[in-house]
Amino acid sequence: MVPMPRRTATPSCPCGLPAPYDNCCGRYHSGVAAAPTAEALMRSRYTAFVRLDAPYLLRSWHPRTRPVEPLELDPGMRWTGLEVLETSGGSAFHSAGTVTFRASYRGGAIHERSRFERVDGAWVYVDGEFIGD
């Protein structure tokens, strides 16, 4: 009897959606596509933190609130999951939107309401407000 080859599952994107990274947030990170909604941009930014992709985080940040100093991401930070709790606006029909989420990491979580706007047709992160649990 010849053994059947094992199927290797393609891991889903770190953002929590079931698609593989390359078909999900990877498209936005590489510049092949732009995030179509504020939620998609927020998910792609979470994934950029997971993957330590500081250039993408800066590119997707609003020019008026983007840090001047280089981003220093902690390679020891272990992100463990993303939960989108609420969205308001942020669709193809809006110029602004908010996304409330919880991003978990080993040892804790961040609960934030992020604001997004369109700049030249593309969604960008403006700022966020931490929410106490």
Side-chain angles (χ1 to χ4, degrees):
M1 184 162 147
V2 177
M4 295 294 291
R6 277 192 196 188
R7 287 186 176 212
T8 56
T10 304
S12 60
C13 188
C15 79
L17 297 178
Y21 168 76
D22 289 341
N23 295 336
C24 194
C25 294
R27 304 177 295 153
Y28 312 137
H29 293 176
S30 69
V32 170
T37 64
E39 180 181 340
L41 181 67
M42 190 281 309
R43 287 180 178 278
S44 73
R45 288 177 56 82
Y46 169 81
T47 299
F49 276 102
V50 171
R51 297 177 63 92
L52 303 175
D53 188 346
Y56 178 77
L57 291 167
L58 291 171
R59 282 193 318 272
S60 62
W61 212 310
H62 197 293
R64 88 170 172 264
T65 58
R66 181 184 304 137
V68 177
E69 299 296 319
L71 286 183
E72 293 185 23
L73 302 177
D74 181 359
M77 181 69 118
R78 296 292 176 242
W79 295 98
T80 58
L82 176 66
E83 181 182 6
V84 174
L85 304 171
E86 182 181 6
T87 62
S88 176
S91 77
F93 303 106
H94 299 102
S95 59
T98 62
V99 179
T100 304
F101 66 91
R102 182 174 291 109
S104 300
Y105 57 90
R106 191 175 302 150
I110 294 171
H111 188 182
E112 181 178 311
R113 180 177 299 109
S114 295
R115 291 186 322 123
F116 298 88
E117 292 178 6
R118 284 187 188 264
V119 172
D120 297 328
W123 285 107
V124 291
Y125 170 76
V126 177
D127 58 22
E129 168 189 356
F130 290 111
I131 301 170
D133 286 327

